[in-house]
C-alpha cells in the first residue's frame, strides 16, 4: 500500500473535514499528516511510493500553490483524482451509493447541489457517462426554484453537499424524493425522507492506495 500524505490547514475551521481526517487516522496506518499552520513549504515525498491528499478548505494561496506547483507536475501522486483524469474520491463513493440504492442509473433523474471541482463537477460528468439525467445547482438556488423543479417532475435522488450552513432543503421538497444523500446537513432534520449521510470514502481511498498503478493509468 502506498503511503498517504495528507495536507490540510487547521487555521481554517471545518467540521466535515475534521471528521474525515479522524476517520483517515483510524483506518490508514501508513500515513503522514502535514498541517500548513505549522509547516508552509511543499512537503517532501516519494514520487513512486507516496500519494497526496489535499483536504479542503485551503486558503487561496495554498490551494493554488499545491494544486499547480505540486500536483499539476506530479499527477501520479494525486490520490483525489482531480489532476489525474480520474473520478474524485467523494464522487466515486457517491456513485457507489447511488448504484446500490437505485440499482441502475440509466435515465434516472438526479439533482446535485454542489458545483465544486472535486465533488459536483466530477460527479455530474460521471452521472452523464452513465446516462443519468442530471440537474446541477449550487447553494444559491432558492427554495422556490428548488421546489418547482422537485415538485414539477420525478426526481429520483438528490445529492447535496452545499457546505453552506444557511442552506436548507425543506420538508415539503424532501418528501417528494426517493433518496437523498446529504453530506453537509442540508436537509430539514424533521423530514421523513430516506436520507443517507455517510458514504464509503475511506473504502475508496484504501482501494486507491492499494492499487500500485492508480494515478498512472490516465496521466497525459
Amino acid at each position: 500500500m502506498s503511503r498517504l500524505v495528507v495536507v490540510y490547514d487547521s487555521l481554517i475551521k471545518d467540521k466535515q473535514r475534521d471528521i474525515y481526517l479522524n476517520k483517515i487516522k483510524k483506518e490508514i496506518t501508513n500515513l503522514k499528516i502535514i498541517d500548513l499552520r505549522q509547516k508552509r513549504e511543499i512537503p517532501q515525498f516519494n514520487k513512486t511510493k507516496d500519494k497526496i491528499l489535499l483536504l479542503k478548505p485551503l486558503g487561496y494561496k495554498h490551494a493554488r500553490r499545491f494544486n499547480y506547483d505540486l500536483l499539476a507536475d506530479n499527477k501520479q501522486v494525486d490520490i483525489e483524482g482531480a489532476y489525474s483524469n480520474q473520478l474524485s474520491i467523494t464522487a466515486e463513493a457517491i456513485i457507489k451509493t447511488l448504484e446500490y440504492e437505485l440499482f441502475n442509473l440509466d435515465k434516472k433523474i438526479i439533482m446535485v447541489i454542489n458545483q465544486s471541482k472535486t465533488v459536483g463537477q466530477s460527479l455530474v460528468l460521471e452521472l452523464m457517462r452513465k446516462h443519468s439525467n442530471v440537474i446541477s445547482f449550487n447553494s444559491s438556488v432558492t427554495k422556490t426554484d428548488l421546489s418547482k423543479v422537485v415538485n414539477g417532475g420525478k426526481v429520483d435522488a438528490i445529492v447535496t453537499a452545499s457546505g453552506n450552513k444557511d442552506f436548507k432543503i425543506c420538508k415539503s421538497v424532501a418528501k417528494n424524493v426517493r433518496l437523498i444523500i446529504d453530506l453537509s446537513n442540508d436537509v430539514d432534520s424533521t423530514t421523513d425522507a430516506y436520507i443517507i449521510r455517510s458514504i464509503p470514502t475511506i473504502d475508496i481511498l484504501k482501494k486507491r492506495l492499494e492499487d500500485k498503478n492508480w494515478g498512472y493509468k490516465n496521466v497525459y
Side-chain angles (χ1 to χ4, degrees), residues 169-172 174-175 180 187-193 195 197:
I169 296 176
C170 62
K171 290 173 62 175
S172 61
K175 70 178 183 180
I180 300 176
V187 183
D188 186 326
S189 59
T190 63
T191 183
D192 294 328
I195 302 173
R197 301 188 189 276

Side-chain angles (χ1 to χ4, degrees), residues 19 29 41 44 52 62 67 73 75 82 88 100-101 107 134-135 142 150 192 207-208 220:
I19 291 173
T29 55
E41 66 269 18
Q44 297 294 317
I52 296 176
H62 287 313
N67 287 345
D73 292 330
K75 296 181 180 180
S88 73
Y100 179 81
E101 296 291 339
K107 298 179 182 178
V134 186
I135 304 164
T142 66
V150 173
D192 294 328
K207 180 181 176 182
R208 293 185 180 191
Y220 299 108

Side-chain angles (χ1 to χ4, degrees), residues 141-151 173:
V141 64
T142 66
K143 292 180 181 180
T144 300
D145 288 340
L146 199 60
S147 180
K148 285 180 180 178
V149 173
V150 173
N151 297 334
V173 171

Side-chain angles (χ1 to χ4, degrees), residues 44-219:
Q44 297 294 317
F45 63 95
N46 186 311
K47 291 184 179 182
T48 60
K49 296 182 179 180
D50 289 345
K51 301 296 181 186
I52 296 176
L53 177 64
L54 299 182
L55 288 187
K56 296 182 177 180
L58 293 174
Y60 175 76
K61 289 183 179 180
H62 287 313
R64 184 176 180 81
R65 182 172 164 224
F66 280 89
N67 287 345
Y68 295 101
D69 292 353
L70 175 61
L71 297 182
D73 292 330
N74 300 280
K75 296 181 180 180
Q76 73 280 1
V77 305
D78 172 32
I79 195 69
E80 180 62 63
Y83 290 90
S84 47
N85 299 307
Q86 301 267 9
L87 193 61
S88 73
I89 292 173
T90 302
E92 184 174 349
I94 292 170
I95 290 289
K96 295 292 184 186
T97 305
L98 287 170
E99 289 179 329
Y100 179 81
E101 296 291 339
L102 301 179
F103 305 108
N104 185 357
L105 300 183
D106 184 38
K107 298 179 182 178
K108 294 293 191 301
I109 300 174
I110 299 174
M111 179 185 292
V112 178
I113 305 174
N114 181 294
Q115 295 179 335
S116 68
K117 183 178 180 66
T118 55
V119 182
Q121 294 177 33
S122 183
L123 176 60
V124 166
L125 287 173
E126 186 65 16
L127 287 170
M128 291 170 66
R129 291 188 188 102
K130 293 180 177 294
H131 308 292
S132 300
N133 296 301
V134 186
I135 304 164
S136 175
F137 286 123
N138 59 41
S139 62
S140 67
V141 64
T142 66
K143 292 180 181 180
T144 300
D145 288 340
L146 199 60
S147 180
K148 285 180 180 178
V149 173
V150 173
N151 297 334
K154 179 187 175 185
V155 174
D156 295 290
I158 293 177
V159 178
T160 182
S162 75
N164 182 348
K165 62 182 178 60
D166 296 321
F167 176 80
K168 288 296 177 185
I169 296 176
C170 62
K171 290 173 62 175
S172 61
V173 171
K175 70 178 183 180
N176 292 314
V177 181
R178 175 178 172 184
L179 166 68
I180 300 176
I181 297 177
D182 182 7
L183 302 182
S184 53
N185 295 317
D186 292 331
V187 183
D188 186 326
S189 59
T190 63
T191 183
D192 294 328
Y194 178 38
I195 302 173
I196 293 175
R197 301 188 189 276
S198 178
I199 56 174
T201 49
I202 298 296
D203 292 341
I204 302 298
L205 179 58
K206 283 182 176 179
K207 180 181 176 182
R208 293 185 180 191
L209 289 170
E210 291 168 355
D211 183 354
K212 294 181 180 179
N213 295 318
W214 198 95
Y216 290 89
K217 299 173 184 177
N218 293 320
V219 174

